[in-house]
Amino acid sequence: MRGLGIRKLKSYLMISLITTVSVLALIPIFHLITSVTLKGVEVISRNFPNIFFDVRPIPGSKEVGGIGPYIVGTLIITSLSIPITLTISVLASLYSSEALSRFERSIGKYTRLFTHMLIEFPTIIIGLTVYGLLTSINNLFNINIPRFSLLAGTLALIIIVTPYVYSQVEDALKSIPSHVREAVYSLGVTRVKAAYILLRYIKPALYASITIGVFRTISETAALLFTAFGSDHYPILDSQILFRPIGTLTLAIYNFALSPYENWIDLSWVAAFTLLVMSTTLFVISKVLSRGR
Amino acid sequence: MVRLLSSGKLSNKAIVVILAVIIVVSVSSLMYVNIIGRTPTTTATTTTTTTTQPTTPGRVYVVMGGATFVNPQMQAWIKKYMESVDASAVIEYQSIGSGAGEAKFIDRALDVGVSDVGISKVGYEKLVNSSRKFIQIPLIAGAVAITYNLPEWNEGVCGPLRLTGEVVADIYLGKITYWNDDRIKSLQVERCRDLLPRKEIVGVHRSDGSGTTALFTTFLSKISREWFEKVGYGYTVDWPRDKLGLGEGGKGNEGVTAKVKATPYSIGYVEVAYAIQQNLPVATIRNKDGNFVIPNVTTIAATLERAAPELPPPEAFWGDLPWSYMYREGVNSYPIVGTPVAIIDLETSIEKLDVIKKFFRWVLTEGQKPENVVEGFIPLPKAMAEKALQYLEKIPSKG
């Protein structure tokens, strides 16, 4: 029975090793969450609740200031780009996974290839591409579309996030068992109706991919540098809003964290905490929604 | 919590919908109240300051961007200007870097671009060739501080470390390797010379392109022929000390600071504002008159006062301006000084130009007063600010 003892020992050793490694892997995440929360809450408590409405303080002064414009900016740019992103990506994934004819299938194939390539692109390049595209449009038609604008930022975000949502939804559609799909089509309904039924079938996955899309949108920085540009003022809600720069939480973190001034660095913690809360809320909502039925 | 709720009579869906509605309504109402609550105050000031201009549809929006270095000062100016002088227009400044500031200005994406060292030769030629109309003005002064990590050094007894431009150049060239090199030793006060250890010097520099590097290498180029020929100056250079394995790069001022703090026997350069905020040890540098000076308001202003008459005309090439700032004569002059330069597009709309002119006029007068200058920045000397004010008159205005 000696052999069995050694086997058991080996198994225990292995299990404890795996446990340690997985705990080690989780440490950075816990550290991130706790440090952002602790520091964020500490700074927020100094100027609550005005910290969520005020504008940036004079650097190096005693003021705490706030991140109001960046919250509003993030909400605006997200609510502008997400509906378009979702429409494009859900329709495209339906097209490429439910293709019937050979022609449709080949288009679907190239769509898939192209989006997978697009996902790998560094986002700053997409930002610069949008900038360059608008520049050449301006030069071509001799007009002046402002390149540092909400419009450009939204465009860049749509290009970045669509491939993510697309591949998530497409994977989910592909995972539908063939008997279900056959059953749906054998009902003799229109293709639109069939697509609707299939989408309902993958509802939890759909919610998850929407969440991923929103995550990706609110956390993007690099692509916004030369498109949305950033702003430290409350956006003016008029007809020109699309053509003016807009600030986001991520750009605020980027700008404030790199400055030498204590009160600006503190604000970047608050912005990071706000992002954390936003994404956690979203995560919980999507979990609950997808569990709904 | 979710499980707890779902055990009740309400369905999950209903709870989520209710929660979502509550959150959205509360957040949006708070935002709404806040923004609306602000509007009357701003319109009130608008009507009192500009009585001739009743609510023009669409506020004028000026987009400026560029150097990271001046960002804190620009934000402070914009905030004060919009709060206390003129709230009718919106002025935006974003720190996208000096290089991007120049490039996007050439692209006409910015109304005003700001660069640490003035526009480059290539950029200037592009502007001239496309016959763009623009003017340039200095905004504020700053300097580069040399910081070090020398555990043996007792600042209380010996004072700050003393260095010369030649020695710094030779350190970064790799010609001076050890801290107890005779050339460093001989600069220090007698009683502290033996504190310098026989340790290799680690030369820390910026790994990203930066105006701070441009100023620092311009200084070294002006003072050391060998540096000028072998390395030269610019936003990024090839660091000879790196090739010897004795140099390290750090991203941004904060990267250099962290590297210097973590590496004993290292030396590095950062903006003065950064050194002051982070309480770094700062070396004194020998100036042209042979005095060892520390960067502060007096010494930096002393340099600029001497350079003021050499300020080029507003449309000329300003890229050589930093060269004329470095290593100036004068008892107190600190040798590594720079002024960020704003380049203003004269081809934007007259409404924007009006706002730009008023704003920069305020910056060059009220903005240079101590209460409006952020710690670590140094106001322009009077002669220079006045010259810049004359340049501003070239901007066409409504009247």
Side-chain angles (χ1 to χ4, degrees):
Chain A
M1 298 306 271
R2 223 172 129 239
L4 194 68
I6 287 177
R7 273 195 200 166
K8 267 198 166 158
L9 193 70
K10 268 189 188 165
S11 131
Y12 284 137
L13 261 177
M14 213 50 215
I15 289 173
S16 50
L17 195 74
I18 290 169
T19 319
T20 334
V21 170
S22 37
V23 168
L24 276 180
L26 285 176
I27 283 177
I29 297 178
F30 276 119
H31 174 71
L32 194 129
I33 293 174
T34 47
S35 60
V36 168
T37 310
L38 287 178
K39 190 74 195 172
V41 168
E42 193 265 312
V43 180
I44 288 171
S45 67
R46 278 186 238 155
N47 190 13
F48 183 80
N50 287 335
I51 201 154
F52 296 112
F53 307 115
D54 285 353
V55 293
R56 75 219 177 290
I58 304 271
S61 68
K62 292 264 183 306
E63 277 178 279
V64 181
I67 51 169
Y70 315 116
I71 298 180
V72 177
T74 297
L75 292 180
I76 289 179
I77 202 165
T78 309
S79 49
L80 257 179
S81 69
I82 278 295
I84 305 173
T85 305
L86 291 182
T87 318
I88 298 175
S89 50
V90 169
L91 289 181
S93 55
L94 271 173
Y95 190 92
S96 66
S97 85
E98 305 306 314
L100 292 181
S101 68
R102 203 157 141 219
F103 172 69
E104 283 177 6
R105 260 201 295 279
S106 71
I107 289 190
K109 207 176 83 191
Y110 287 118
T111 315
R112 199 172 310 131
L113 193 75
F114 181 66
T115 45
H116 284 184
M117 251 166 60
L118 214 53
I119 289 181
E120 305 297 327
F121 265 46
T123 53
I124 189 145
I125 293 189
I126 295 177
L128 286 172
T129 310
V130 170
Y131 179 90
L133 203 72
L134 287 176
T135 307
S136 26
I137 291 177
N138 280 348
N139 290 343
L140 203 64
F141 299 103
N142 204 13
I143 46 174
N144 198 7
I145 306 171
R147 278 150 287 182
F148 292 150
S149 59
L150 174 59
L151 180 75
T154 311
L155 217 61
L157 283 179
I158 291 169
I159 297 176
I160 289 164
V161 183
T162 304
Y164 281 88
V165 183
Y166 165 84
S167 48
Q168 291 282 327
V169 178
E170 212 220 358
D171 281 350
L173 282 173
K174 283 223 170 116
S175 69
I176 295 175
S178 52
H179 63 264
V180 176
R181 181 170 280 118
E182 275 165 25
V184 171
Y185 283 108
S186 63
L187 288 174
V189 292
T190 57
R191 284 181 78 182
V192 176
K193 182 81 186 160
Y196 180 69
I197 297 171
L198 288 174
L199 280 182
R200 278 183 56 149
Y201 188 81
I202 56 155
K203 210 165 157 195
L206 204 58
Y207 282 130
S209 26
I210 293 172
T211 318
I212 286 172
V214 181
F215 272 9
R216 201 69 195 76
T217 310
I218 63 174
S219 63
E220 182 53 49
T221 321
L224 297 180
L225 267 179
F226 294 128
T227 51
F229 192 56
S231 165
D232 300 291
H233 310 287
Y234 270 106
I236 310 161
L237 305 168
D238 62 11
S239 57
Q240 292 295 307
I241 188 169
L242 271 179
F243 304 113
R244 295 208 189 98
I246 195 154
T248 68
L249 284 167
T250 46
L251 286 173
I253 296 173
Y254 178 78
N255 282 333
F256 289 148
L258 296 185
S259 84
Y261 299 95
E262 210 59 54
N263 55 348
W264 274 20
I265 296 171
D266 284 348
L267 267 196
S268 68
W269 283 106
V270 178
F273 178 68
T274 313
L275 266 185
L276 190 73
V277 170
M278 274 184 171
S279 39
T280 319
T281 318
L282 210 68
F283 184 70
V284 170
I285 289 180
S286 89
K287 274 282 159 207
V288 173
L289 274 182
S290 62
R291 223 204 261 169
R293 263 157 29 100
Chain B
M1 193 191 83
V2 172
R3 202 168 290 164
L4 206 88
L5 283 172
S6 59
S7 62
K9 279 186 182 155
L10 278 169
S11 75
N12 262 343
K13 226 179 191 173
I15 292 166
V16 168
V17 169
I18 292 167
L19 272 180
V21 167
I22 290 172
I23 291 171
V24 168
V25 166
S26 57
V27 167
S28 53
S29 63
L30 271 173
M31 291 282 171
Y32 188 74
V33 164
N34 218 273
I35 295 168
I36 294 299
R38 259 146 221 267
T39 325
T41 58
T42 47
T43 44
T45 50
T46 324
T47 44
T48 49
T49 48
T50 55
T51 37
T52 48
Q53 232 183 333
T55 55
T56 41
R59 286 163 80 186
V60 179
Y61 207 104
V62 176
V63 183
M64 312 195 279
T68 314
F69 165 64
V70 274
N71 187 38
Q73 180 62 65
M74 286 302 271
Q75 297 303 339
W77 278 336
I78 291 170
K79 188 172 170 158
K80 285 192 172 159
Y81 182 79
M82 285 180 59
E83 275 172 8
S84 59
V85 185
D86 184 4
S88 62
V90 183
I91 299 164
E92 194 74 73
Y93 184 85
Q94 291 294 317
S95 58
I96 53 175
S98 291
E102 176 183 321
K104 305 309 177 210
F105 179 85
I106 295 171
D107 274 1
R108 293 177 196 265
L110 293 172
D111 300 318
V112 177
V114 179
S115 134
D116 278 335
V117 289
I119 200 160
S120 69
K121 192 99 207 168
V122 182
Y124 181 75
E125 274 160 10
K126 267 189 202 161
L127 285 176
V128 171
N129 289 341
S130 53
S131 52
R132 289 274 294 274
K133 286 201 202 104
F134 60 89
I135 62 159
Q136 297 156 92
I137 54 163
L139 291 177
I140 191 100
V144 177
I146 292 180
T147 179
Y148 53 92
N149 181 346
L150 203 52
E152 282 87 350
W153 195 254
N154 184 345
E155 274 209 18
V157 180
C158 307
L161 193 71
R162 297 165 150 207
L163 293 169
T164 67
E166 291 87 350
V167 164
V168 176
D170 282 349
I171 289 175
Y172 276 95
L173 275 171
K175 287 167 79 184
I176 295 178
T177 337
Y178 292 100
W179 275 108
N180 67 347
D181 193 285
D182 283 342
R183 291 181 54 202
I184 304 179
K185 254 182 165 175
S186 61
L187 299 173
Q188 314 308 323
V189 283
E190 198 92 47
R191 58 180 184 280
C192 292
R193 285 182 186 165
D194 294 328
L195 285 180
L196 291 168
R198 186 167 174 77
K199 297 276 189 193
E200 282 178 334
I201 307 172
V202 180
V204 183
H205 56 80
R206 292 282 289 265
S207 57
D208 50 334
S210 100
T212 315
T213 300
L215 291 178
F216 181 65
T217 50
T218 305
F219 166 66
L220 295 183
S221 298
K222 192 165 180 182
I223 218 164
S224 153
R225 182 107 217 130
E226 195 180 348
W227 182 275
F228 181 62
E229 278 159 8
K230 278 191 180 163
V231 189
Y233 57 92
Y235 289 126
T236 50
V237 295
D238 252 341
W239 295 92
R241 208 175 171 84
D242 281 13
K243 289 170 196 144
L244 305 171
L246 291 171
E248 276 188 50
K251 193 193 166 296
N253 281 298
E254 68 288 345
V256 171
T257 308
K259 274 262 160 64
V260 171
K261 275 186 175 166
T263 322
Y265 311 111
S266 60
I267 188 169
Y269 59 90
V270 291
E271 288 156 11
V272 168
Y274 209 87
I276 293 174
Q277 289 295 317
Q278 303 289 320
N279 265 323
L280 305 177
V282 172
T284 54
I285 318 280
R286 194 169 70 191
N287 64 13
K288 207 169 187 177
D289 286 18
N291 299 318
F292 287 91
V293 284
I294 200 132
N296 62 28
V297 179
T298 339
T299 57
I300 295 169
T303 307
L304 287 175
E305 249 152 50
R306 287 189 166 69
E310 289 162 35
L311 204 68
E315 306 88 1
F317 174 58
W318 281 40
D320 293 330
L321 187 61
W323 186 273
S324 82
Y325 288 151
M326 299 300 164
Y327 204 55
R328 295 295 300 215
E329 66 285 353
V331 188
N332 286 326
S333 302
Y334 183 74
I336 327 175
V337 175
T339 56
V341 171
I343 175 161
I344 301 167
D345 194 349
L346 297 188
E347 291 167 9
T348 52
S349 71
I350 193 87
E351 286 79 19
K352 278 187 181 182
L353 284 175
D354 209 47
V355 170
I356 292 170
K357 190 173 184 178
K358 278 185 191 144
F359 173 67
F360 281 116
R361 195 185 280 150
W362 182 87
V363 160
L364 289 169
T365 50
E366 293 294 311
Q368 305 291 328
K369 290 184 175 162
E371 67 268 24
N372 293 329
V373 173
V374 173
E375 197 182 351
F377 291 86
I378 289 94
L380 293 173
K382 233 187 168 73
M384 202 177 250
E386 268 161 17
K387 217 166 171 186
L389 274 173
Q390 287 170 17
Y391 292 177
L392 273 187
E393 291 309 312
K394 299 228 169 199
I395 302 180
S397 61
K398 284 192 287 193

